Amino acid sequence: MARKRKNRTHLKGAATESASSQTGVPKSFVIKHGQVGSSIAQLVRDIRKVMEPNTASRLKERNRNKLKDYLTMAPALQVTHLLAFTLTPLAPSMRIVRLTNGPTLSFRIERYSLIKDVLNTSKRTRSIGMEYLSPPLLVLASFPPASPTTPPHIPLLMKAFQSLFPPLSPKTLTLSTARRVVLISYNAERGTVEWRHYIITVKAYGVSRRIRKILDGTSKAASSSGILDLGNEKDVADFLLRKKGEPGPDGYESATSSAESVAGDDGDAVDLADDYVGRNNKKGSRRAVRLDEVGPRMELKLVKITEGVPGREGGVIYHEFVTKSKKEVAELKAAHAAKEKLRKERREEQARNVAKKKGKTSAGDDAEEGDEEDVDMSDAPEDGEEFDDEAGWDDEEEISEGEDEEEDDDEVAQESSEDEDQRPPSKKPKLRSKR
């Protein structure tokens, strides 16, 4: 009988790395630094939920951690973005850092709402969990198109938010993975950016509200046995078509009016291109698409855009409150270029010193190995052998002659013999016998 071969269900080596690390997918750290309150700490946790699954959702900050620690650790973990929240005397602030060479965008948080606040104000409660297994879809709205009159920082602002989330590819996108939407809208009047987070819901279209509940499996009128309870109704039409709270015969609602009251007009109805999450959401069926906001909300004011990352910042690309002349800008660019040149020279010098030190240590190790081999060999070398004594010694090191060493050994031997003569005889230990 042939031996059954075991099929391994886990991945090893390169297969694991290829499955875990996807190329082109941005990864982020969302952190808080400095003394912040409980509200900002909760906002950081909410933003982590928005950025899932490509973020460190269980990252724990310590009080002694500095921003430099995260900047040093991020490249080793293939982290591409850093979202840092802090509390200033004026207002909370957020920085988006593109690793590892920048740029850095600094925002002032004008207003914000947490997830719990948004859910408490909504009429319908949402079960949050499975939607966060796939990244959200990014929607940019109300940004001015590229033109000569468009401010130069607007395209950079759009690219900064686009790089936070994975790129959208309609050819490879699976419809069932489109569960959430992040809306970034630009308010030209206030000069702010609004951050919204929604969950996509799909409902049946063209049926009344109660029939929709039966189709979706959310009807409370059905008992545990699956039979509708019509004890309080005179007719089936009273249950299916009557408006809630109107007992009269004229309170019937049509399927079209009910559908429009919940799902909107025909513009919200689409034909599913593929199977979607939920009951009866099959390919080709007509469904009404709806966005339910779950938070958090933020209203951001762009303050500054700088080159580089914190600690290695370059020139200022844009500043909301400070304007400089062309001469001052040129002087700042020259100063930053000189500083970068000096930093590069120091790095090259440090690399040369490290290489030189490694060369010296390797030469010293070779010399030590040669000395050990000489000790193990016999005193009289064989014919034709030559030993390079000068290579193993340092010029500044003092070497004593052999006669001096012999005299020192004789003196040490005489001193040790005299000490032995002066020592008193050892006493015998007394043994006490037990009575």
Side-chain angles (χ1 to χ4, degrees):
M1 186 175 180
R3 185 177 179 182
K4 187 177 180 180
R5 184 174 296 177
K6 181 180 179 181
N7 295 325
R8 298 189 180 275
T9 57
H10 57 279
L11 301 176
K12 282 188 176 182
T16 306
E17 294 179 0
S18 61
S20 59
S21 60
Q22 301 176 0
T23 57
V25 176
K27 299 180 181 180
S28 61
F29 275 166
V30 184
I31 64 170
K32 62 180 185 298
H33 64 96
Q35 297 294 332
V36 299
S38 59
S39 298
I40 300 298
Q42 184 61 40
L43 179 62
V44 170
R45 291 190 288 269
D46 293 347
I47 295 297
R48 287 178 184 173
K49 292 189 71 67
V50 176
M51 304 300 295
E52 285 185 2
N54 300 318
T55 188
S57 56
R58 297 184 180 181
L59 181 64
K60 294 183 179 179
E61 306 98 332
R62 296 181 179 178
N63 294 331
R64 63 174 178 268
N65 289 136
K66 297 181 180 179
L67 196 59
K68 183 180 178 181
D69 301 336
Y70 299 102
L71 296 176
T72 306
M73 182 177 58
L77 300 176
Q78 299 180 356
V79 176
T80 59
H81 291 81
L82 179 68
L83 280 73
F85 290 80
T86 186
L87 186 62
T88 63
L90 296 178
S93 66
M94 181 186 73
R95 280 188 286 183
I96 300 178
V97 183
R98 181 67 169 91
L99 302 175
T100 57
N101 298 322
T104 301
L105 285 78
S106 301
F107 296 91
R108 185 176 64 196
I109 303 177
E110 301 288 345
R111 293 178 295 178
Y112 68 93
S113 299
L114 305 177
I115 290 180
K116 61 179 181 180
D117 301 329
V118 176
L119 293 180
N120 289 335
T121 56
S122 62
K123 297 180 180 179
R124 291 173 299 277
T125 58
R126 291 286 306 175
S127 61
I128 301 174
M130 299 298 293
E131 293 85 358
Y132 295 93
L133 297 180
S134 58
L137 307 179
L138 178 66
V139 177
L140 298 176
S142 302
F143 281 91
S147 64
T149 58
T150 303
H153 68 278
I154 296 296
L156 184 58
L157 181 63
M158 296 175 61
K159 291 180 180 179
F161 283 108
Q162 285 177 347
S163 63
L164 280 175
F165 302 94
L168 182 62
S169 177
K171 295 182 180 180
T172 60
L173 178 66
T174 305
L175 187 60
S176 58
T177 59
R179 307 290 301 274
R180 296 182 293 135
V181 171
V182 172
L183 176 63
I184 306 295
S185 59
Y186 181 73
N187 190 345
E189 296 180 358
R190 296 174 56 88
T192 57
V193 177
E194 296 182 357
W195 176 301
R196 297 288 188 271
H197 184 217
Y198 300 92
I199 288 181
I200 302 174
T201 58
V202 175
K203 300 290 184 180
Y205 184 81
V207 295
S208 63
R209 189 188 304 269
R210 292 190 176 183
I211 293 178
R212 184 182 298 111
K213 289 183 179 180
I214 296 173
L215 294 176
D216 295 340
T218 58
S219 177
K220 296 181 180 179
S223 61
S224 59
S225 61
I227 301 175
L228 296 176
D229 184 9
L230 303 178
N232 298 327
E233 306 293 343
K234 296 181 180 180
D235 193 357
V236 178
D238 295 340
F239 175 77
L240 296 178
L241 301 177
R242 189 184 303 279
K243 292 183 180 179
K244 189 175 181 181
E246 296 184 5
D250 297 333
Y252 290 159
E253 62 179 359
S254 63
T256 306
S257 63
S258 177
E260 291 179 354
S261 63
V262 175
D265 54 3
D266 292 337
D268 298 332
V270 296
D271 295 331
L272 297 180
D274 199 355
D275 295 344
Y276 196 71
V277 181
R279 182 181 293 184
N280 299 325
N281 294 330
K282 301 298 181 181
K283 180 179 179 179
S285 59
R286 193 168 182 80
R287 290 290 183 268
V289 180
R290 182 188 188 130
L291 297 179
D292 292 335
E293 187 175 4
V294 293
R297 301 176 186 171
M298 287 192 300
E299 186 177 356
L300 306 174
K301 177 76 172 180
L302 181 61
V303 176
K304 184 172 63 171
I305 302 177
T306 58
E307 299 175 349
V309 297
R312 292 187 288 119
E313 295 179 347
V316 178
I317 301 175
Y318 168 78
H319 203 292
E320 176 69 20
F321 306 107
V322 179
T323 56
K324 294 184 179 294
S325 62
K326 294 182 179 180
K327 183 179 179 181
E328 293 175 344
V329 171
E331 292 177 354
L332 288 176
K333 287 184 178 180
H336 287 301
K339 187 184 295 185
E340 188 64 25
K341 183 179 179 181
L342 180 60
R343 185 185 291 116
K344 187 177 180 180
E345 292 177 354
R346 288 179 178 176
R347 287 179 181 174
E348 293 177 353
E349 183 180 359
Q350 186 178 6
R352 289 195 298 268
N353 294 336
V354 171
K356 188 184 297 183
K357 188 175 181 181
K358 287 183 179 179
K360 287 184 178 180
T361 54
S362 62
D365 294 341
D366 295 340
E368 290 178 359
E369 291 178 359
D371 294 341
E372 292 177 357
E373 291 177 357
D374 293 345
V375 171
D376 294 337
M377 295 172 63
S378 59
D379 296 336
E382 297 179 359
D383 296 338
E385 292 183 356
E386 295 180 358
F387 297 101
D388 190 6
D389 296 336
E390 296 180 358
W393 300 101
D394 191 1
D395 296 334
E396 298 179 358
E397 187 176 356
E398 295 181 357
I399 305 172
S400 59
E401 297 180 356
E403 296 179 357
D404 297 339
E405 292 180 355
E406 292 178 358
E407 292 177 359
D408 295 338
D409 294 341
D410 296 339
E411 292 177 359
V412 173
Q414 292 177 3
E415 291 178 359
S416 61
S417 61
E418 291 177 359
D419 293 339
E420 291 179 356
D421 296 339
Q422 293 178 1
R423 288 178 184 172
S426 59
K427 297 181 180 180
K428 296 181 179 180
K430 297 180 179 180
L431 302 176
R432 293 183 181 179
S433 59
K434 296 182 180 180
R435 297 182 178 179

